[in-house]
Amino acid sequence: MGKIMLINGPNLNMLGKREPDHYGSKTLLDIEKEVAILASSLGHELECIQSNHEGVIIDQIHKSGSSGFGGIILNPGAFTHYSYAIRDAISSINTPVIEVHLSNVHARESFRHTSVTAAVTKGQIVGLGDYGYQLALLALDRIIRGIH
Ligand code: DQA
């Protein structure tokens, strides 16, 4: 069907070791492999990137928008809560973006209750652990096939 970009933001390279009560015990590589298997079973090719740097994430969003990606799965990490630059990058492209958070941000500190990016995405999945990435992929698959 086409290419889908999976972008994970700051500190998500620490999954598996980082606060497992919030983020689970799988590593980012485990999660990426599982999402890639689901993607290929649906006929998509998954490209995965992780960066701790805001500008790199913005460049990847631009790249996905201009090089034929059918959709983006994005966990912006803590940038979710304050990066107007990532929000503007999402707004600058036509590619659908699904925002994912492993933890239920609404059940945590109040600064995590605000997402400055969610309003410019197609939708947001929170609190379902790594399964949220698979749900995001299923949603993008429907959007790409025009059955949403
Ligand atoms: C997170 C939630 C954010 O508040 C936090 O800063 C993260 C991970 C999540 O996936 O639950 O880094 O995006």
Side-chain angles (χ1 to χ4, degrees):
M1 285 290 295
K3 293 182 292 179
I4 292 177
M5 180 72 80
L6 171 59
I7 304 175
N8 277 285
N11 300 305
L12 292 162
N13 55 312
M14 299 297 288
L15 289 177
K17 300 187 199 98
R18 175 190 182 201
E19 301 181 84
D21 289 352
H22 285 305
Y23 303 122
S25 56
K26 287 183 185 169
T27 66
L28 183 57
L29 192 59
D30 294 334
I31 294 170
E32 289 172 343
K33 281 183 185 160
E34 287 174 3
V35 181
I37 289 168
L38 179 61
S40 92
S41 77
L42 293 166
H44 303 290
E45 193 187 317
L46 190 74
E47 188 170 320
C48 302
I49 73 116
Q50 185 278 329
S51 179
N52 295 320
H53 304 281
E54 190 177 24
V56 174
I57 294 169
I58 291 167
D59 288 344
Q60 286 296 330
I61 292 170
H62 294 165
K63 179 189 150 186
S64 313
S66 60
S67 32
F69 281 77
I72 302 174
I73 303 166
L74 173 64
N75 183 346
F79 286 138
T80 306
H81 313 303
Y82 64 93
S83 175
Y84 298 121
I86 290 178
R87 177 193 168 111
D88 284 352
I90 297 168
S91 293
S92 77
I93 61 168
N94 295 318
T95 312
V97 176
I98 310 274
E99 181 173 317
V100 173
H101 298 287
L102 292 148
S103 64
N104 181 356
V105 284
H106 303 291
R108 300 181 63 194
E109 302 95 323
S110 59
F111 76 85
R112 295 186 206 274
H113 299 177
T114 300
S115 168
V116 300
T117 47
V120 292
T121 65
K122 270 287 194 192
Q124 194 194 35
I125 297 167
V126 306
L128 301 179
D130 63 279
Y131 187 48
Y133 292 105
Q134 303 207 19
L135 291 172
L137 181 71
L138 293 171
L140 281 176
D141 177 66
R142 288 174 67 91
I143 291 167
I144 291 164
R145 291 174 200 274
I147 52 173
H148 60 293

